[in-house]
Amino acid sequence: MLSNFTFDHGAERLSGVYGGGGSGRATAVLLHGAGNGSKERLVPLLEEFTDRGCAALALDFSGHGESTGELRELSLRRRFEQAVAVIDARVPAEGPLILVGFSMSGQTVADLAGHYGERVAAIGLCAPAVYAAQAWDVPFGDGDGLFSEIIRTPDSWCEAPALGVLRGYEGRAVLAVPGNDTVIPPEVTEAVQDALAARSQYTRFELPDADHFLGLWLRDHAGARREFVDLLLTEGWTATRTWVAKQLPEGRTVATTRFLSGGWSAQMRGLTLDDGTELVLRSFVKPFFRRHAPGLLNREAAVLALLADEDGIPAAEPIAVDATAEHADHPSLLMSRLPGRVRVDEEDLVRRLDLLAAQLVRIHEVVPRERPRTYQAWTSPEQVRAPHGALWERAVEVIRRDPPSYEGVFLHRDFHPGNVLFTDDLRIGGVVDWVETSWGPADLDVAHCSTALALLHGPEHGLGFRDRYEAQGGRRLADGPEHLYWRLLDSLAYAPDAAKLAGPWQELGRTDLTPEVLGGRLEAYVGGLLERYA
């Protein structure tokens, strides 16, 4: 049974609908989108929650539906404040929340998740939008004012604070993605997905026949509505926990679990057993990596087994792999924990760079019993999305040729500071992330680490890494234009979005690595390569 209510907020009267409750379960809060959005279209979804024993409410923001006020005077801040006021009045204090937002309310859900913290048990984002920080206080106006100017600025959403909130969220998260969204750019959806996949119990809910207006779609499609609510109410990672438990020595249990920072392609969790043994669980959550997980994780497990017989390469011991998610919720690899931590600070940098170079030399000395697959390029002249300008055109032209001939070696293929663990006494305690292990030119591993160093510590460190590698006795690298080919083949893969590489670094404290800083460093590095090797 649903009941209507009104709530006075300042000079405005907000209209809402409420139902369910009494079972101690979470309260679902449903928030409509912009334009002509209203609570009315969300009533069937609200009833889906109340039928499961949940309390649920939906409200009309001011200027929408049956609420008073002018839409032109509304803002993202006022949406947040109105939602907080209604939740605090209608939901028991400290009661768990399920937040569901459509379109513009994707931003509002993120704002509420940051405000309510651990009270938020699940979030559902339906074709969500996120916005630049400077848009938060600005009234929406009539579509031709400052708010519209801000949100129409290309890539203004890239540094949206909402993405940082979603990146830190650890509860259940469902991202509903329509097959034909003419409102939200796919880059925004991908950024939201990347943020949710960092820590949350994430599920992507595809609706291939739907358009942007998912409130109307779910209203009219009962099956999809039920499935969406099922995903939000089902406890996540239960299959993974069961699978992990079966891999442990008899009598052992997992005592604590914590996230490990620094990963980008996978979620990394540190597990401590009741006897103090430490393990690491690597899980592929993002759809791209889920699709490729059988090849990636099986290859990594095989490489880790191979490296167990190699001195001087601290790699984890593989314990179990479920590369197809047959038993776990996501494709997963369970392995031993290595000592040390990722270092992205500037302290002891010269010493760490020499250690990185020496470690890469040792990796290239491995002679595998079975040669791994040939390397794969991560970009091509056709794929590069470089900024306009003569420098970038010249750089792209360098890789518009067949690859130079090379003497193949065993490649880590993703060797950079984010995949190396340093101990407190400044030794390398571990090298991780062996999913891309390949056979190819040593130049390519040198190139990849050099790009990362240029972005993380400055172009001069990227340009100088070859010298450090050779000083440690590394393989002979190509000369001139041939070496330039490999260096640019790597660095151009990050144009123009070098910031994508920096998410884990920012989590580790490098908040100075803004898109502007990274873009400037990448351009200076590419220019330096052309000057040195062309």
Side-chain angles (χ1 to χ4, degrees), residues 230 325 368 408 443:
D230 284 342
D443 303 70

Side-chain angles (χ1 to χ4, degrees), residues 71-106:
L71 177 56
R72 63 186 310 277
E73 297 174 1
L74 192 59
S75 66
L76 295 172
R77 175 193 281 276
R78 293 187 66 202
R79 275 173 145 257
F80 164 72
E81 292 172 345
Q82 289 172 10
V84 167
V86 171
I87 291 170
D88 288 351
R90 304 291 308 192
V91 179
E94 306 305 318
L97 299 168
I98 298 171
L99 305 175
V100 180
F102 293 80
S103 193
M104 179 179 277
S105 281

Side-chain angles (χ1 to χ4, degrees), residues 168-187:
Y169 176 69
E170 298 185 10
R172 294 189 301 283
V174 180
L175 175 63
V177 182
N180 181 32
D181 194 334
T182 59
V183 177
I184 304 300
E187 296 83 5

Side-chain angles (χ1 to χ4, degrees), residues 306-392:
L306 164 72
L307 295 175
D309 297 328
E310 295 284 340
D311 293 330
I313 302 180
E317 173 192 350
I319 296 171
V321 62
D322 181 12
T324 60
E326 180 181 358
H327 306 290
D329 297 282
H330 304 88
S332 298
L333 173 65
L334 185 66
M335 53 192 151
S336 63
R337 176 76 185 271
L338 296 165
R341 59 188 174 93
V342 173
R343 293 280 303 272
V344 295
D345 58 284
E346 302 290 337
E347 188 177 351
D348 301 315
L349 180 57
V350 172
R351 174 62 179 150
R352 294 196 337 256
L353 294 180
D354 286 335
L355 288 171
L356 285 171
Q359 185 64 74
L360 189 55
V361 169
R362 177 65 189 92
I363 291 170
H364 290 168
E365 292 172 348
V366 172
V367 180
R369 295 184 296 273
E370 204 172 301
R371 182 177 294 186
R373 66 171 186 166
T374 302
Y375 79 91
Q376 294 181 344
W378 293 343
T379 194
S380 68
E382 296 72 32
Q383 292 174 303
V384 174
R385 294 172 51 242
H388 295 295
L391 180 142
W392 296 104

Side-chain angles (χ1 to χ4, degrees), residues 237-252:
W237 294 80
T238 53
T240 299
R241 286 194 289 269
T242 300
W243 175 73
V244 167
K246 292 178 179 179
Q247 315 309 319
L248 304 181
E250 186 174 355
R252 297 276 69 86

Side-chain angles (χ1 to χ4, degrees), residues 125-323:
L125 300 176
C126 301
V130 294
Y131 301 94
Q134 57 266 41
W136 205 59
D137 277 316
V138 180
F140 297 154
D142 296 319
D144 56 359
L146 179 59
F147 181 81
S148 296
E149 179 183 334
I150 293 170
I151 68 173
R152 289 171 183 164
T153 301
D155 299 331
S156 64
W157 54 269
C158 286
E159 291 187 82
L163 294 175
V165 174
L166 298 178
R167 194 171 292 114
Y169 176 69
E170 298 185 10
R172 294 189 301 283
V174 180
L175 175 63
V177 182
N180 181 32
D181 194 334
T182 59
V183 177
I184 304 300
E187 296 83 5
V188 174
T189 302
E190 182 180 356
V192 170
Q193 174 173 270
D194 284 348
L196 291 174
R199 287 178 175 260
S200 77
Q201 300 165 29
Y202 170 70
T203 301
R204 181 181 173 105
F205 182 40
E206 299 272 4
L207 294 168
D209 297 325
D211 59 17
H212 173 74
F213 302 99
L214 290 181
L216 293 172
W217 174 267
L218 292 174
R219 181 196 69 184
D220 298 337
H221 292 80
R225 194 167 64 239
R226 285 192 296 270
E227 187 175 356
F228 181 59
V229 173
D230 284 342
L231 291 171
L232 285 168
L233 295 181
T234 302
E235 184 67 31
W237 294 80
T238 53
T240 299
R241 286 194 289 269
T242 300
W243 175 73
V244 167
K246 292 178 179 179
Q247 315 309 319
L248 304 181
E250 186 174 355
R252 297 276 69 86
T253 60
V254 175
T256 60
T257 302
R258 67 184 182 91
F259 275 98
L260 302 177
S261 299
W264 184 82
S265 61
Q267 289 191 10
M268 307 293 292
R269 286 174 171 80
L271 313 179
T272 302
L273 306 188
D274 54 354
D275 65 351
T277 301
E278 294 193 86
L279 305 177
V280 171
L281 177 66
R282 176 184 181 91
S283 299
F284 282 142
V285 176
K286 296 180 182 180
F288 174 85
F289 291 99
R290 283 193 67 129
R291 286 196 303 273
H292 295 279
L296 295 172
L297 288 182
N298 284 325
R299 180 164 53 250
E300 180 166 34
V303 170
L304 293 178
L306 164 72
L307 295 175
D309 297 328
E310 295 284 340
D311 293 330
I313 302 180
E317 173 192 350
I319 296 171
V321 62
D322 181 12

